[in-house]
């Protein structure tokens, strides 16, 4: 659906913004093949602290929009028209 496309778009944006601070450019990089470590790392993203850390890579004027776009509930995600009018996307360099 278009709402799942919005989710995917923001996960890609996250990886792009993450490039500035993480040489692996992914919150899903796992330094080990140990399944327990991987499961625990994935659980971190379900916590409030993990979600806040995930959203910290976004510019300030995008955080609220990114939070809604990355919601597990499709009905709360913005549509493309709302995304296009966000101040960050209005910059001609974007």
């Amino acid at each position: 659906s278009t709402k799942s496309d919005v989710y995917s778009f923001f996960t890609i944006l996250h990886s792009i913004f993450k490039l500035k601070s993480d040489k692996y450019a992914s919150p899903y990089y796992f330094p080990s093949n140990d399944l327990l470590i991987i499961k625990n790392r994935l659980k971190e993203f379900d916590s409030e602290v993990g979600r806040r850390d995930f959203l910290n890579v976004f510019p300030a004027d995008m955080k609220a929009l990114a939070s809604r776009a990355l919601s597990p509930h499709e009905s709360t995600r913005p549509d493309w028209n709302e995304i296009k009018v966000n101040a960050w996307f209005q910059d001609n360099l974007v």
Side-chain angles (χ1 to χ4, degrees), residues 65-84:
L65 186 65
S67 179
R68 288 184 41 231
L70 296 167
S71 168
H73 308 289
E74 280 193 2
S75 61
T76 61
R77 294 181 197 149
D79 62 18
W80 289 110
N81 291 327
E82 184 179 348
I83 292 168
K84 289 190 286 187

Side-chain angles (χ1 to χ4, degrees), residues 50-94:
R51 183 169 177 78
R52 192 177 12 190
D53 287 345
F54 188 87
L55 291 171
N56 273 342
V57 300
F58 288 96
D61 51 355
M62 273 183 78
K63 283 186 183 179
L65 186 65
S67 179
R68 288 184 41 231
L70 296 167
S71 168
H73 308 289
E74 280 193 2
S75 61
T76 61
R77 294 181 197 149
D79 62 18
W80 289 110
N81 291 327
E82 184 179 348
I83 292 168
K84 289 190 286 187
V85 298
N86 178 273
W88 192 83
F89 291 100
Q90 294 297 309
D91 185 331
N92 288 332
L93 294 176
V94 175

Side-chain angles (χ1 to χ4, degrees), residues 26-27 29-31 36-45:
S26 174
Y29 170 75
F30 301 105
L36 183 59
I37 292 172
I38 293 171
K39 285 180 183 179
N40 287 335
R41 180 89 187 266
L42 287 171
K43 285 179 186 176
E44 289 174 16
F45 297 111

